[in-house]
Amino acid sequence: MNSAPRSADPDLVGYSLANVSELLLACLDAVGARSVLEIGAFRGELTGVLLGWAADHEASITAVDPLPAPELLELAAAHPKLVLLRELSHQVLGSAELPDAVILDGDHNHYTLSEELRTIAERSSSSALPLLVFHDVCWPHARRDSYYAPERVPAEHRQPLVRDARLQPGNPGIAETGLPFECAAASEGGERNGVLTAIEDFIAQREGLRLAIVPAFFGFAVLWEERAPWAAALAATVAPLDRNPVLERLEQNRVAHLVAGFSRRQELDDERRHSAGLRRILASMLDSRAFTLAAALSRLRRRRDPVVSRPAIRAALQRRDG
Ligand SMILES: C[S@@+](CC[C@H](N)C(=O)[O-])C[C@H]1O[C@@H](n2cnc3c(N)ncnc32)[C@H](O)[C@@H]1O
């Protein structure tokens, strides 16, 4: 595994497809891809991997992101062959020539992905679809939308949403603590909700499609047409990992630990905020005349062990500060 995902992802969330790069590149090789379009490139972890592969394969890489992170801009500056488009997926898919492979990893909601798939299908109506690669086909996005910019999705196609949502596997609503999302559907499941649901809805409208799901790092999937000349080579590449039950258990285990780690940190943060409030109250009490009076009274009544004691409270406050 190359080191890029770790250095860019100190919490080891595993959000980048670079975590499955060996598999993804094997799929590109199986289909003989010479042009790849990455929708949603973020910091360019995967883009960097693709550029390395492209150099050995005389292939071209186009990355699309309306808000490229500084790391991606640096990557583009260092690799003049990379075409970086600061646009939305539907603008690019509607106009640019379709490549051999499209990696769909932009806005993870049913509407956006369905529109992307519809456009690709319309534009390749006379030929086979390009290889379609997806991320986030397992928990949490398989059956739950999230939105980078909800206003870009027409209101009638948006799920009721929650800002600053925290998600836990097994909880179809919003949890107190868990994996954080800026904007997620209030509930998991139901019609037109989630990435996998969008893929299944697309498959239901067409004949001859095959889907393989590799349940690792939030779920990697490839979708292809059986009539494509490379279909058998691709099927053989992904078959051993497709819905592999050992991988499924590993991913459930990984996600459980990831969510538990986030939850512990969020609980600690809540605890810290709470105790900082208490400390502020105690500190202002210490300086009050009411406290001086109460301490004097307390000393009078219980000389050896006063209930209200300034040194005891100061010592407690210092312990917390240290
Ligand atoms: C999960 S990140 C992509 C990660 C990257 N593919 C990787 O594997 O390292 C999703 C990116 O999609 C971008 N994005 C969101 N909506 C988009 C859209 N409609 N079209 C293209 N990109 C979009 C976001 O700005 C974000 O940087």
Side-chain angles (χ1 to χ4, degrees):
M1 174 61 58
N2 77 45
S3 61
R6 276 174 179 262
S7 54
D9 183 11
D11 290 334
L12 299 184
V13 172
Y15 62 79
S16 174
L17 274 170
N19 287 293
V20 292
S21 52
E22 292 84 353
L23 178 59
L24 196 155
L25 297 184
C27 292
L28 295 181
D29 285 336
V31 310
R34 291 293 170 266
S35 52
V36 179
L37 176 64
E38 182 189 10
I39 301 282
F42 190 32
R43 294 190 178 125
E45 289 102 308
L46 177 67
T47 321
V49 173
L50 292 172
L51 285 170
W53 169 87
D56 297 335
H57 291 73
E58 291 183 26
S60 65
I61 306 296
T62 302
V64 179
D65 205 302
L67 277 176
E71 295 90 333
L72 178 57
L73 295 175
E74 277 170 34
L75 188 74
H79 292 83
K81 284 196 175 162
L82 170 66
V83 180
L84 173 61
L85 304 174
R86 293 189 195 203
E87 290 175 52
L88 292 167
S89 53
H90 69 89
Q91 294 165 322
V92 175
L93 289 170
S95 57
E97 196 181 321
L98 277 187
D100 298 329
V102 186
I103 299 168
L104 293 149
D105 193 16
D107 211 357
H108 297 102
N109 56 71
H110 187 279
Y111 175 79
T112 305
L113 185 54
S114 299
E115 283 299 293
E116 289 165 350
L117 289 170
R118 185 184 59 74
T119 311
I120 293 170
E122 269 172 22
R123 303 218 44 232
S124 55
S125 55
S126 55
S127 49
L129 289 173
L131 168 69
L132 299 174
V133 177
F134 304 89
H135 195 206
D136 292 295
V137 300
C138 294
W139 191 88
H141 283 114
R143 307 293 177 198
R144 188 195 292 259
D145 281 358
S146 73
Y147 305 90
Y148 276 95
E151 66 282 0
R152 287 204 292 252
V153 175
E156 66 275 22
H157 294 288
R158 244 174 4 225
Q159 294 288 328
L161 51 87
V162 171
R163 304 231 176 221
D164 293 324
R166 292 168 176 183
L167 307 181
Q168 294 259 0
N171 178 347
I174 300 297
E176 291 278 308
T177 62
L179 210 56
F181 284 89
E182 260 177 47
C183 196
S187 320
E188 186 177 58
E191 285 182 9
R192 285 175 281 136
N193 196 5
V195 168
L196 186 56
T197 309
I199 298 170
E200 288 168 352
D201 290 349
F202 178 72
I203 292 172
Q205 296 157 19
R206 292 173 72 96
E207 302 272 295
L209 289 181
R210 277 194 64 187
L211 175 70
I213 295 178
V214 179
F217 292 103
F218 303 120
F220 165 86
V222 281
L223 180 67
W224 70 98
E225 275 188 297
E226 277 161 344
R227 67 177 166 137
W230 36 257
L234 180 66
T237 304
V238 289
L241 301 176
D242 187 7
R243 296 154 171 109
N244 184 298
V246 177
L247 279 187
E248 266 166 17
R249 280 195 291 281
L250 267 176
E251 175 65 358
Q252 275 169 16
N253 187 277
R254 186 188 77 87
V255 162
H257 285 285
L258 189 64
V259 170
F262 270 96
S263 294
R264 266 197 303 278
R265 265 178 282 167
Q266 288 153 358
E267 280 158 9
L268 258 178
D269 284 349
D270 287 350
E271 189 75 8
R272 282 205 188 101
R273 268 195 296 278
H274 181 65
S275 73
L278 288 179
R279 290 215 309 277
R280 272 197 300 279
I281 292 171
L282 276 178
S284 66
M285 242 175 68
L286 275 180
D287 293 335
S288 71
R289 287 181 59 195
F291 187 89
T292 309
L293 203 63
L297 268 176
S298 185
R299 264 199 313 279
L300 273 178
R301 296 186 65 168
R302 294 176 61 172
R303 194 169 286 274
R304 294 231 174 108
D305 184 20
V307 176
V308 182
S309 146
R310 199 170 252 135
I313 293 179
R314 283 219 172 91
L317 281 174
Q318 263 163 14
R319 260 203 309 280
R320 296 294 295 176
D321 287 341

